[in-house]
Amino acid sequence: MSYLFTSESVSEGHPDKVADQISDALLDEFLARDPESKVAIETLVTTGQVVVAGEVSSQAFVDIPATIRRLIVEIGYNRGAYRFDGDSCGILTAIHEQSPDINRGVDRRDKEEQGAGDQGMMFGYATSETPSFMPLTLDLAHRLVSELATIRREGKDMTYYRKGKLATYLRPDAKSQVTVEYSDDGRPLRVHTIVVSTQHDDFVAPMADTPEAQASADNEMLAQIRKDVKEVLLPRVIASLPEEQQKLFDDKLILHVNPTGKFVLGGPHADTGLTGRKIIVDTYGGRGAHGGGAFSGKDPSKVDRSAAYAARHMAKALVAAGAAREALVQVAYAIGRAEPVSILINTFGTGTTGLTDSELTERVKGIFDMRPSAIIERFNLKAPIYRETSTYGHMGRTPHHATKTFCSRYADPLSVEVDLFPWEDVSREVPLVRAALK
């Protein structure tokens, strides 16, 4: 018997993702000017309001309101009609210094003995079902909302005439959900169901001021959006896939578009957003496991973030090396201690080496130094690389080099060379894993 599995994603305009992006954009601002900054920032967004709170210890000065306003406009909240926009929203800041009791266990004279910023367990996961070693359901869900944002910014498709000019009717808030049918041995058979919900302008006016006329206008709008999702969005996403995955789409696909009806009011006006409320979207879409700690707004001394990246790196290296079709890595820490209290590898019976999972763990764990200081050094995690992680997933992204520029009215522009998503590069570790398994 086959089975169904589902994952979801949300766009950069979703309220929770707006909050994540603010927290990570502020983290980058601090790290760009002081790489030793200790940051833990939480954000709340609601109608016309942003609240930023947390703990920061840093030598850097950051213009927090200006950074937040630039980001909100960049996301796409740049019109009063959204009832939340970067030019007019109120900003409340409540940030204080990090507790010295916590910092005592993190900062050590010997950097190699830097302790974990908190206790907890973190998970990394990888599967061979996609080139990115991510679950197909989540990969597709991310592609849908990411491509929808691209279409919105291009302004050439999914359009109508607004004030005599062609404009997109898409607004920033959107969600997707993908269900894939799998065989008994866990291989994708077909894409079963797709759900797309997108915020939009009220672009069809009713012919009369009656409930019936309004209902007719709403139905016309929804029909156009569904047609565009089917004929514009889906073909663009499918064309971006490897040929093997393109074959998973057939005429039996079930497609739901804005299933609750009109979606004009959205974003932080319609739904309060909070940092760290989309941790499954951020990681593996419900596959593998999650330790419960959010990522955004936290500097790399917090193992919730840095060790989760390192665990993904280990899991991906194992699958890329051919040790298993699927791998889950758990690592756990005690606050203030450098060495993990445990490391576990689970291949769910998909191992190819003839080793038990415990034997596999012993063979390869020496390749991956999981002390916080080693993780931070290996991936250069004190660089300002986090804003890019706050949308469309922290894992499965393409590692690449970039130049980031940070602007402030109190200082000259600062350009920083960074390597984004370095934990996704396993080119060095794959041959080491293969050698250890011989």
Side-chain angles (χ1 to χ4, degrees):
M1 287 287 291
S2 61
Y3 65 91
L4 303 178
F5 188 83
T6 302
S7 297
E8 71 160 348
S9 185
V10 298
S11 73
E12 60 217 58
H14 185 280
D16 294 330
K17 278 290 137 197
V18 173
D20 283 345
Q21 289 170 88
I22 291 172
S23 294
D24 272 340
L26 293 174
L27 170 62
D28 278 356
E29 292 282 343
F30 281 105
L31 291 175
R33 294 172 172 83
D34 177 9
E36 300 302 323
S37 297
K38 297 295 185 292
V39 179
I41 291 177
E42 313 290 344
T43 304
L44 176 149
V45 293
T46 186
T47 304
Q49 187 70 43
V50 177
V51 179
V52 177
E55 302 82 48
V56 174
S57 296
S58 177
Q59 298 300 311
F61 178 79
V62 172
D63 188 343
I64 290 175
T67 300
I68 292 172
R69 294 188 189 282
R70 280 197 306 268
L71 174 64
I72 291 171
V73 170
E74 183 182 324
I75 291 169
Y77 288 108
N78 53 11
R79 294 162 52 194
Y82 299 148
R83 304 188 193 181
F84 177 86
D85 68 274
D87 294 328
S88 66
C89 67
I91 297 174
L92 174 63
T93 302
I95 291 177
H96 57 274
E97 192 172 3
Q98 184 188 49
S99 164
D101 291 342
I102 294 175
N103 192 55
R104 185 181 300 118
V106 175
D107 283 339
R108 300 285 178 84
R109 184 172 298 174
D110 182 353
K111 291 295 184 182
E112 291 187 0
E113 294 306 312
Q114 173 182 325
D118 201 354
Q119 70 176 45
M121 65 283 188
M122 299 83 212
F123 289 92
Y125 176 78
T127 172
S128 60
E129 66 187 55
T130 63
S132 63
F133 297 92
M134 292 291 286
L136 177 62
T137 50
L138 184 62
D139 183 73
L140 293 176
H142 282 327
R143 287 173 185 265
L144 285 164
V145 284
S146 177
E147 191 63 33
L148 203 59
T150 299
I151 293 170
R152 172 171 59 87
R153 288 195 166 91
E154 290 174 348
K156 298 176 182 178
D157 295 308
M158 304 181 80
T159 57
Y160 74 110
Y161 281 95
R162 183 171 67 212
K163 298 180 180 180
K165 295 182 179 180
L166 200 63
T168 181
Y169 58 71
L170 295 172
R171 291 184 174 184
D173 195 359
K175 299 180 77 172
S176 65
Q177 185 173 284
V178 177
T179 302
V180 169
E181 181 180 351
Y182 287 86
S183 64
D184 275 338
D185 62 350
R187 300 181 188 276
L189 297 176
R190 56 182 292 267
V191 179
H192 184 277
T193 302
I194 288 177
V195 183
V196 175
S197 296
T198 180
Q199 186 188 14
H200 58 87
D201 286 354
D202 207 353
F203 63 91
V204 176
M207 300 297 290
D209 189 15
T210 65
E212 293 78 13
Q214 184 63 62
S216 177
D218 291 349
N219 288 335
E220 183 180 342
M221 252 190 317
L222 292 173
Q224 183 63 49
I225 296 169
R226 179 182 172 83
K227 179 175 182 292
D228 288 345
V229 167
K230 187 175 182 179
E231 297 180 3
V232 177
L233 176 62
L234 282 183
R236 286 175 62 147
V237 169
I238 293 170
S240 72
L241 298 171
E243 184 177 354
E244 182 179 351
Q245 291 180 15
Q246 293 183 21
K247 295 176 182 177
L248 299 176
F249 291 81
D250 57 32
D251 56 8
K252 294 189 292 183
L253 171 68
I254 300 169
L255 177 63
H256 298 291
V257 178
N258 284 19
T260 61
K262 187 164 69 172
F263 184 10
V264 172
L265 293 180
H269 170 64
D271 182 17
T272 298
L274 293 169
T275 299
R277 208 158 56 175
K278 286 291 176 284
I279 58 177
I280 299 304
V281 171
D282 285 342
T283 51
Y284 307 105
R287 292 280 288 275
H290 198 294
F295 301 156
S296 290
K298 296 178 180 178
D299 75 82
S301 71
K302 282 72 171 173
V303 284
D304 274 346
R305 181 168 217 160
S306 53
Y309 294 161
R312 159 64 179 176
H313 182 75
M314 182 188 288
K316 181 177 179 180
L318 290 170
V319 177
R325 277 200 349 252
E326 186 178 12
L328 179 71
V329 174
Q330 186 203 57
V331 59
Y333 294 87
I335 187 169
R337 300 294 181 180
E339 291 290 344
V341 300
S342 68
I343 298 176
L344 169 73
I345 297 172
N346 183 359
T347 63
F348 304 97
T350 67
T352 61
T353 64
L355 300 172
T356 67
D357 286 346
S358 58
E359 290 170 337
L360 178 62
T361 303
E362 288 302 313
R363 288 278 192 97
V364 304
K365 69 179 184 180
I367 298 170
F368 305 90
D369 191 339
M370 301 299 276
R371 293 175 300 165
S373 63
I375 295 170
I376 290 169
E377 182 179 356
R378 182 158 71 247
F379 302 130
N380 193 22
L381 295 183
K382 291 182 180 180
I385 59 173
Y386 297 104
R387 160 72 198 288
E388 289 77 10
T389 69
S390 58
T391 52
Y392 312 122
H394 293 243
M395 319 301 180
R397 307 289 291 278
T398 303
H400 62 280
H401 188 78
T403 302
K404 298 180 67 170
T405 301
F406 298 88
C407 298
S408 171
R409 55 184 165 173
Y410 302 108
D412 293 334
L414 175 64
S415 293
V416 183
E417 300 288 323
V418 297
D419 290 308
L420 300 174
F421 306 101
W423 48 89
E424 292 296 321
D425 182 0
V426 295
S427 57
R428 172 187 169 275
E429 287 73 21
V430 166
L432 296 177
V433 170
R434 287 174 177 159
L437 297 178
K438 288 182 178 178

